[in-house]
Amino acid sequence: MRTGTGIPIASQDPAPTPAEFTAQLRELGADFYVHHVIPTQEDHAALFDDLAAAGIGLVLGNEYGNINGPHADGTNRYDLPAELVRDAAASGVLEGVLYDEPEHLQIHADQYRHDAHLPHFGQTDGLDAAAALDVIDDTVRALTTDIADAVSQAGGRPVPVLSEQVFPVMFHALARAGMTPAPKVMKESFQPLQLGTALGAALQYDREMWICADLWGPDVGPWTTRAPGFPGHSPAEFASALRLAYLFAPTRLFVENIDVLTRHLGEGRFARTPHGEVWLEFAKGFVPRHPLRWSHRDARPDIALVHADDSDFGRGERPFGNRQATAPAASQSVFAAWHALSHGQLPAHGSCLHIPGYDFPRHGLNGIPRSRFPLDAGATEPTRLHGLFQATRGVLAFDEHVRADQLADAGLVVVAGSRLPRATLDGLRARAEAGATVLIAAWLCGPDRAKTERVGTGDWVVYEDFDDADAQEAIAAHAGTSDVWSQRFGAHELRIAAGDAAGETLEFEIADASTRRIG
């Protein structure tokens, strides 16, 4: 079923045997498999045995249960049974537990369940941001503890609990409570904003970071198409997105789903799609040719964006799932900050494509009966909206609880959003005194720090709007050029440029002791 639409899609290929399926995974170079549990399937021993025999790890996911239930009391969330987690850990194959788009299902609680308004982590109607975050925090801490206990009881090694997200909100709140950021790239995301936010959360809260290369998306073109928007990105974009994700050095990287990479023709015979050919070259060509010399944990900001998160991605509705409120007007300053730091290339009114002004080409395929899919030749004409490139210079996002020492590498610290604790304000002032330029919203300063001035060896710059002359000057001094997106990892700087006018493809260069172009 296309997630959220209620439209079923019949199986398009004959079912392979488990041995044929795991053999195909190995042929594609996969070393782990994300399995979304079907709650009515009670015995998973064969799954564990088949994966163990193939030398493939397992991540257990909850998407199917989110859509179909059974749901945890008072929520739209499916939690994996403790005994299933214990059994998977005891088998030796378990490598993670994945919660699918929990931020989406907290904000948009009625996506799947229509019988009542039941947000993913708990009811927040009528609550302010602090109280809503407490509800979410308590729930996440409890469920991550339950998973850790189940793994420990089985004698397994600890595994991350992944927050696999499409919207670039709540990364920090969920990481703070114990989840591992797992941003989706491609999808309907702006890549510098999505990765800069998730990476900042991973660094601030000392988490792993996984990346999902999600081929669901807005575009159409002449490629094998399973459903409208699947894939919604071209093979060329997919190739660049995989390289981008890999060079950000996540703990793990995966693509959603295998059936976008290959078709089963029957009797164990498979035919790779154009996207499958791209994946195979990446997994068995590009990765071995380019062993990484850094980790995502080595990331350092040239520019730090500090802001509280009101779960607003541009619509301003249902903050943290609260139907009785809208996001504070000040939360829009976060979009304005990204807009300014990207040389105007990111929109000033939202943080992903699910905002006014974007009409998805995939909707043009909705009139085709599902029985006609897959479309082996795809759409007759490519229609493309999504690109991978916007220029930012090492922008990492941190929440309002960031410590001063976590900002030590940033020459420019931009402070936006709706709220800021006094302790963090004091830490930001210390960063300015130590030499940074701190560009801070006037409404967050307090009356004693509400003027622009030189402090210590740095600058304290107060703005009402990013069009203010002082704000523009501060940003111009640090934002780099409009044709390069960069990110530092220790002594290495990843430099990214658009490979074409639309940013559909990317070019990469590593600047270090031996500057080299990646190809």
Side-chain angles (χ1 to χ4, degrees):
M1 182 180 291
R2 170 69 174 95
T3 303
T5 66
I7 301 173
I9 301 172
S11 297
Q12 296 173 349
D13 300 345
T17 67
E20 292 167 346
F21 181 71
T22 55
Q24 183 63 189
L25 289 175
R26 295 305 310 172
E27 184 174 328
L28 288 167
D31 55 18
F32 71 99
Y33 162 62
V34 179
H35 176 77
H36 286 285
V37 173
I38 298 174
T40 54
Q41 182 179 344
E42 295 181 357
D43 185 2
H44 289 80
L47 171 67
F48 305 151
D49 291 345
D50 292 334
L51 292 174
I56 294 172
L58 171 67
V59 174
L60 291 172
N62 77 335
E63 182 174 11
Y64 185 96
N66 284 345
I67 296 171
N68 299 284
H71 299 103
D73 288 346
T75 78
N76 61 11
R77 186 185 77 248
Y78 170 66
D79 290 326
L80 300 173
E83 59 270 24
L84 172 58
V85 176
R86 282 197 300 270
D87 291 347
S91 75
V93 297
L94 184 66
E95 298 189 6
V97 171
L98 184 150
Y99 277 76
D100 183 79
E101 300 188 8
E103 83 301 345
H104 178 19
L105 297 181
Q106 179 66 30
I107 302 167
H108 307 115
D110 309 325
Q111 185 75 12
Y112 306 134
R113 291 198 69 170
H114 306 296
D115 55 329
H117 178 79
L118 301 169
H120 211 55
F121 295 121
Q123 189 60 254
T124 58
D125 276 353
L127 300 182
D128 63 15
L133 284 165
D134 283 345
V135 169
I136 294 165
D137 187 273
D138 288 347
T139 301
V140 172
R141 289 182 188 276
L143 68 86
T144 55
T145 297
D146 288 346
I147 291 168
D149 288 348
V151 172
S152 177
Q153 290 165 14
R157 57 179 176 79
V159 300
V161 180
L162 307 175
S163 172
E164 185 200 38
Q165 297 188 212
V166 60
F167 293 103
V169 297
M170 295 174 58
F171 274 122
H172 295 79
L174 298 179
R176 186 182 189 192
M179 299 187 87
T180 292
K184 295 188 178 191
V185 295
M186 295 184 293
K187 193 66 169 170
E188 294 95 22
S189 302
F190 300 118
Q191 313 312 298
L193 194 160
Q194 178 86 336
L195 289 172
T197 303
L199 183 52
L203 289 178
Q204 184 175 343
Y205 291 106
D206 192 24
R207 304 293 179 201
E208 293 184 1
M209 185 176 77
W210 294 38
I211 294 179
C212 170
D214 191 345
L215 278 163
W216 284 100
D219 294 345
V220 299
W223 53 74
T224 303
T225 302
R226 291 278 192 178
F230 188 47
H233 303 273
S234 71
E237 183 183 349
F238 182 41
S240 285
L242 287 172
R243 295 181 176 197
L244 169 68
Y246 173 73
L247 292 170
F248 265 70
T251 312
R252 291 295 186 97
L253 166 64
F254 61 100
V255 66
E256 178 181 327
N257 300 295
I258 187 177
D259 57 0
V260 82
L261 304 181
T262 188
R263 295 202 61 190
H264 181 231
L265 306 178
E267 299 178 347
R269 294 178 298 113
F270 292 85
R272 283 187 296 276
T273 67
H275 291 84
E277 296 295 343
V278 164
W279 169 268
L280 192 67
E281 192 287 323
F282 166 73
K284 295 195 171 182
F286 182 84
V287 170
R289 289 196 307 270
H290 301 287
L292 291 176
R293 292 183 283 174
W294 61 89
S295 159
H296 75 276
R297 295 183 185 273
D298 298 316
R300 299 293 180 266
D302 290 303
I303 300 172
L305 174 56
V306 176
H307 68 87
D309 184 354
D310 290 300
S311 79
D312 184 9
F313 58 88
R315 294 184 185 175
E317 302 169 344
R318 296 180 299 276
F320 305 110
N322 179 359
R323 294 172 296 175
Q324 299 171 9
T326 56
S331 69
Q332 297 176 26
S333 63
V334 178
F335 313 140
W338 279 107
H339 179 73
L341 294 171
S342 66
H343 307 272
Q345 295 172 22
L346 287 165
H349 65 294
S351 57
C352 66
L353 293 181
H354 291 283
I355 55 176
Y358 296 95
D359 184 21
F360 294 177
R362 74 181 183 214
H363 294 158
L365 300 183
N366 285 341
I368 299 175
R370 294 300 186 270
S371 60
R372 287 180 51 191
F373 287 89
L375 308 178
D376 287 330
T380 54
E381 295 292 335
T383 306
R384 295 176 189 164
L385 167 70
H386 193 268
L388 297 171
F389 183 82
Q390 290 89 29
T392 62
R393 180 171 174 257
V395 181
L396 297 181
F398 301 89
D399 73 16
E400 74 273 28
H401 304 292
V402 66
R403 302 190 314 268
D405 64 284
Q406 294 174 315
L407 304 174
D409 294 281
L412 174 65
V413 181
V414 179
V415 191
S418 63
R419 59 193 183 278
L420 188 70
R422 180 70 190 204
T424 307
L425 180 63
D426 291 343
L428 292 166
R429 188 73 170 193
R431 290 308 314 144
E433 291 170 348
T437 297
V438 175
L439 177 60
I440 185 166
W443 58 89
L444 297 173
C445 286
D448 54 333
R449 291 169 177 167
K451 66 177 181 178
T452 295
E453 58 185 335
R454 184 80 175 167
V455 293
T457 57
D459 293 290
W460 184 262
V461 183
V462 179
Y463 71 89
E464 293 282 355
D465 188 279
F466 287 107
D467 289 333
D468 293 354
D470 287 345
Q472 290 192 346
E473 181 180 351
I475 290 171
H478 293 271
T481 63
S482 62
D483 59 351
V484 175
W485 167 20
S486 64
Q487 177 58 58
R488 283 191 294 134
F489 296 92
H492 312 279
E493 183 179 65
L494 173 63
R495 296 175 181 169
I496 306 160
D500 60 276
E504 182 181 4
T505 59
L506 300 174
E507 296 175 351
F508 303 96
E509 180 181 80
I510 305 300
D512 51 22
S514 57
T515 297
R516 62 203 185 280
R517 191 168 293 278
I518 297 291

